[in-house]
Amino acid sequence: KGDGINAKDLPVTPRNHTNPADMKKLTDDDIENVIKDGGAATSKSTTMPPFRSTLNADEVKEMVKHLRKLCKC
């Protein structure tokens, strides 16, 4: 929900991935891009690091599926 114990120490408020109204605004491609390329590549916070070299394409797609389950959207 973006309200974890470290959220108060972050320079930006984390997205609430359980909020369907917010998450429906994002396409699966939008979510994939921010996972792969990080926040800076999508004009968002640089505190979201890129995971392109950490996660393979299948893992990124699974992450998108997981986020869609969290928001039920």
Side-chain angles (χ1 to χ4, degrees):
K1 294 183 184 178
D3 61 355
I5 62 170
N6 292 321
K8 67 184 180 338
D9 298 324
L10 296 172
V12 295
T13 303
R15 182 176 296 275
N16 180 352
H17 293 110
T18 65
N19 184 325
D22 286 343
M23 293 299 289
K24 284 181 183 178
K25 295 176 188 174
L26 302 172
T27 66
D28 287 357
D29 285 342
D30 292 336
I31 298 170
E32 280 188 38
N33 288 336
V34 78
I35 292 169
K36 290 189 284 189
D37 299 325
T42 57
S43 300
K44 299 294 181 188
S45 173
T46 57
T47 58
M48 169 64 183
F51 288 92
R52 182 179 293 279
S53 61
T54 307
L55 301 173
N56 65 41
D58 290 336
E59 290 169 324
V60 171
K61 289 192 183 306
E62 287 300 315
M63 180 67 73
V64 172
K65 286 181 191 177
H66 178 71
L67 291 170
R68 291 295 184 201
K69 285 179 187 175
L70 289 177
C71 67
K72 299 179 180 139
C73 59

